Amino acid sequence: MEPTPFSRQNKARVLGAGETTIVLAHGFGTDQTAWRHQAPTLAERHRVLLFDHMGAGRSDLSAYSPRRYQSLRSYAIDLLLLLEELALEDVVYVGHSMSGMIGLLAAVEEPSRFRKLVLLGASPRYLDDVGYEGGFKRADLDGLYRAMQTNFHAWASGFAPIVTGNPDRPDLARDFAASLGALRPDIALTVARVIFESDHRGDLPKLAHPTLVLQSQADVAVPISVGTYLASHIPRAELQVLDATGHMPHWSAPEQVTRAILSFAASA
């Protein structure tokens, strides 16, 4: 039996047309619809690739295995297989949250597939360390895992407003809670552990591509110190701090994020 194409497993969609392909990769707890504010505008000038990571959105859950997806490198392999299947090279890759390091790992592995990277609210390590502020202490993460195991939907409802970080925009928390709640709880817990236990600080200097680090002014999941760390440890990176708060600036300040992507994609 022929293996299912990755484009079908990951529900890949291509919008628009143009010489440059912009790949939009979503973060934890969301799917490709997280880019609903950016994709139509970007597709007016460029070809845009959207997809769901395995275990998220409308991806083929029968292809998900916690043994296979034990690290972000597994998702990076998926990304490379998807780009290979679609014969895409020299793409502008935009990765939110967990997808930031997924794209970085993929670009280090196969540099020709990428031209530039945009890391939106990305982090190489979420756990605090000596001389490094990741944003979470060990007790924070252990409590998060327990809450997910005890009552997943109650956890999602409480976690969403903390992460979206815009109390005057309850719609953002409501949308994120619904997106989180749509995940299969066992997959969500496994993916959360993969993300929050990861440490890719050593991979940052290996990235040779021009990189834009987009960072909110206040993000409980990714402190601004992390954005500064990324920009100072990726050789060709620049940091842009958005006039936005929360971990979902592509929702809370969509026009800013879209403009930043278009400007960076067009720059020499």
Side-chain angles (χ1 to χ4, degrees):
M1 181 182 294
E2 288 292 319
T4 303
F6 273 84
S7 58
R8 193 183 309 162
Q9 286 188 359
N10 295 86
K11 291 297 183 288
R13 294 189 298 138
V14 177
L15 309 177
E19 293 184 5
T20 301
T21 298
I22 297 178
V23 179
L24 299 177
H26 66 86
F28 173 65
T30 61
D31 56 32
Q32 62 183 267
T33 63
W35 300 108
R36 55 189 174 274
H37 301 300
Q38 286 73 41
T41 301
L42 296 176
E44 292 174 3
R45 307 185 196 181
H46 304 284
R47 184 165 45 176
V48 175
L49 172 61
L50 296 159
F51 67 99
D52 293 338
H53 283 302
M54 192 59 63
R58 295 174 56 243
S59 64
D60 182 2
L61 296 186
S62 68
Y64 178 83
S65 163
R67 290 185 61 188
R68 165 160 165 69
Y69 294 95
Q70 291 183 1
S71 75
L72 294 180
R73 295 185 188 278
S74 299
Y75 296 93
I77 291 170
D78 279 3
L79 172 62
L80 291 173
L81 290 170
L82 179 60
L83 296 179
E84 178 183 15
E85 181 187 318
L86 299 176
L88 293 175
E89 293 189 341
D90 210 31
V91 305
V92 175
Y93 175 88
V94 183
H96 173 241
S97 195
M98 67 178 276
S99 284
M101 290 305 102
I102 290 170
L104 182 143
L105 293 170
V108 169
E109 184 69 24
E110 292 191 25
S112 66
R113 296 284 177 194
F114 300 82
R115 179 158 63 90
K116 297 180 176 182
L117 283 81
V118 179
L119 309 182
L120 176 64
S123 176
R125 178 184 168 104
Y126 293 84
L127 187 61
D128 291 346
D129 196 9
V130 177
Y132 175 83
E133 180 191 3
F136 293 86
K137 294 179 170 48
R138 170 50 59 191
D140 298 329
L141 295 183
D142 290 344
L144 182 146
Y145 302 147
R146 283 196 301 272
M148 293 180 75
Q149 289 176 300
T150 302
N151 189 327
F152 179 73
H153 292 286
W155 166 81
S157 296
F159 187 66
I162 296 171
V163 171
T164 52
N166 283 262
D168 58 330
R169 294 283 309 277
D171 56 308
L172 301 180
R174 184 174 60 248
D175 288 351
F176 189 43
S179 186
L180 281 169
L183 292 171
R184 212 172 76 187
D186 61 313
I187 293 178
L189 179 59
T190 299
V191 176
R193 289 186 185 276
V194 166
I195 295 167
F196 290 118
E197 301 297 329
S198 65
D199 187 351
H200 292 288
R201 290 176 294 176
D203 294 299
L204 303 184
K206 302 174 187 176
L207 182 64
H209 301 74
T211 301
L212 175 63
V213 177
L214 284 180
Q215 175 75 40
S216 290
Q217 293 178 350
D219 180 349
V220 69
V222 181
I224 198 164
S225 58
V226 172
T228 303
Y229 186 93
L230 285 174
S232 62
H233 286 78
I234 296 173
R236 301 176 66 189
E238 60 181 276
L239 172 64
Q240 180 178 338
V241 180
L242 299 163
D243 183 16
T245 58
H247 191 55
M248 315 289 283
H250 50 322
W251 290 7
S252 62
E255 295 85 2
Q256 283 189 61
V257 172
T258 302
R259 284 197 302 270
I261 295 170
L262 283 172
S263 176
F264 189 63
S267 63

